[in-house]
Amino acid sequence: MSRYAEVYAASQRDPEAFWAEAAQDVSWYKRWDKVFDPYAGQYGRWFPGAECNTAYNCLDRHVEKGRGGQKALIYDSPVTKSQRSYTYSELTLEVATLAGVLIDIGVKKGDRVIVYMPMIPEAVMAMLACARIGAVHSVVFGGFAATELATRLDDAKPVAILSASCGIEGARMVAYKPLLDKAIELAKHKPNACLVLQRPMLEAALTSGRDFDWAEAVKLAKANGRKAGCATVAATDPAYILYTSGTTGQPKGVVRDTGGHMVALKWTMKNLYGIEPGEVFWSASDVGWVVGHSYICYAPLLHGATTIVYEGKPVGTPDAGAFWRVIAEHNVSALFTAPTAFRAIKKEDPEGKLIGNYDLRGFRTLFLAGERADPETIKWAERHLGVPVIDHWWQTETGWAIAGNPVGLGMLPVKYGSPTVPMPGYTIDVLDDKGKPVAAGQTGTLGIKLPMPPGCLPTLWGNDARFRKSYVEDFSGYYSTSDAGYRDADGYVYVMARTDDVINVAGHRLSTGQMEEVVAQHKDVAESAVIGVADDMKGQLPAGFIVLNAGVTRDEREIEAEVVKLVRDVIGPVAAFKNVMVVKRLPKTRSGKVLRGTMRAIADGEPWLMPATIDDPAILEEIADTLKGRGMGSKASPSV
Ligand code: COA
Ligand code: AMP
């Protein structure tokens, strides 16, 4: 029997009592004045008046309670053929020392620090060192280009940047330092200092007066016994900023607070993921994404579990058995990854033959998130791994699952295609265009009734107005997830599609609006439309349609290649923007709105209706023909 219904009902009946009890699992320097203040902030604030420190809760507290000798972090890097681990005592020393170095290079409480690093233990140390001194980190994913980094520099205005000389992407070496230098050159805001970790496979030239050698600084600090203690911060102080794609080129700076973040994440480890302190929890994501923040860095450590930093891919490092090797070698209890990783494995090893080479007896549960988990992928994983496969739904903004199947409370029956039920603290309604809840089975926008539970974003960095406009103004009394879906008669949630320009490519959230802005920078492009088309492996892939300026006679394929390169250079390889095609015209409504939805349906070969407001129906035929020429789409005519 699952305790879910009883626990969820308690969280609804008296949210303050529910979260005050959950907060007992966190150490506080000072208790809160109120559990929740509905008048503070944009929709209320959790734990105002309380004081705490996240790094203390992740590290020192466990050492004090006798967990010092247990592994806190395991680094497994097939791309460098190396492994290393840190106990809680060792990680505490590393973080306290790095925190001392940060203070010495001029970082103070409340200052922002950008972390632009590959998947190495120092990335987690950087995040925790910031938390230790009350600095606000902003981790930027390594797959973003210099321009994206520059945008974040100008918004967060960091005092310092922590980076590494290179990352390793399968067989490709990614030199980080030139990207970092370019970003600093492009940005108006300049950091005072950069701490650069030199990796032996590709060392970087350091800029005198600005760049410091990470290893040397840490070595010197250790020789001098230099360590920083844990600063006291308010529960409502920002712990970090994580930029995520919105509908324009300007990413949204999602703010995470300190106290509510710890309370929510700690609660999930036992109740949602079913993990006990001392067990190994592996999130095969990247610290640049929210999943990496919450479940590589913070939650496992808050819980006294062991986390894994994996520098590799699900396939190709060296093969589709990589995940099973890591699970077996490190005795992983639960793995959290994106469905796309499993689709990649399934493609390489359809029969799951490599699974048999490893002892997975200690492995209990697979968790999937980041994009819709298609039933075929779930069934394949269930069949070959013989463990429950749990889809759960969340966003950068929430920082933890909005809906899931709570393994620790007792699993509910799985319904394929559904991430199951709302987690405590979340009241989910399906809303019509006017913001009225609709009946079970009907599709609408998935809204979360305000206030959001602890751990969710209180606002956007330096931009309360954009927070209100993006999330709470469309539907009175609700946070709009910008996801469309429905709930069935049993209350199960189904998340079907985004309602905005955001697409999901290999579990990475990207903005087609932003890609259009970049494409428009090409001198020969008059106008463009970028849409997300279905892809068997990555879920979605961007496809760009460009109309050239009158009089352009250059080779169209050459222009297309330049546009592809432009997006890669400006946004980064992670955009996976490889599909672009010159068209004569874009289909529009009579009022000039590009019919992106209809184009997407044609590209995906789905049934589509001729829009009543279309300006010239013939253009859709042209688009269908172009797509056909590229081996995409199937229907050249409307179904009705
Ligand atoms: N630094 C630099 N470049 C990066 C990068 C990083 N950290 N991460 C990805 N890239 C590059 C890739 O090398 C690739 O470049 P290419 O065009 O030269 O091949 C490009 O960005 C696109 O990457 P991706 O879409 O991830 O494709 P892939 O073919 O490299 O890998 C998967 C496909 C499925 C194996 C991979 O996307 C994956 O493991 N996804 C899981 C996603 C995830 O963990 N999401 C977090 C939510 S749980
Ligand atoms: P991100 O902020 O990068 O984590 O992306 C969040 C978006 O990914 C959500 O708004 C959804 O569109 C999508 N998403 C995440 N998890 C799921 C899931 N389990 N099912 C369906 N969509 C999901």
Side-chain angles (χ1 to χ4, degrees), residues 14-59:
D14 190 347
E16 294 192 31
F18 183 89
W19 292 112
E21 179 164 353
Q24 304 295 336
D25 277 352
V26 167
S27 285
W28 305 88
Y29 297 139
K30 178 174 170 282
R31 229 180 118 84
W32 46 90
D33 299 331
K34 282 180 182 167
V35 179
F36 182 70
D37 178 357
Y39 303 108
Q42 298 305 302
Y43 61 84
R45 296 302 304 265
W46 290 97
F47 306 108
E51 290 174 353
C52 51
N53 183 286
T54 303
Y56 174 79
N57 274 279
C58 287
L59 299 168

Side-chain angles (χ1 to χ4, degrees), residues 100 108 195 210 297 341 353 378 391 403 615 619 631:
K108 296 186 299 298
L195 198 58
R210 187 198 71 191
C297 182
K353 288 202 177 100
I378 297 185
D391 175 20
D615 186 28
I619 304 178

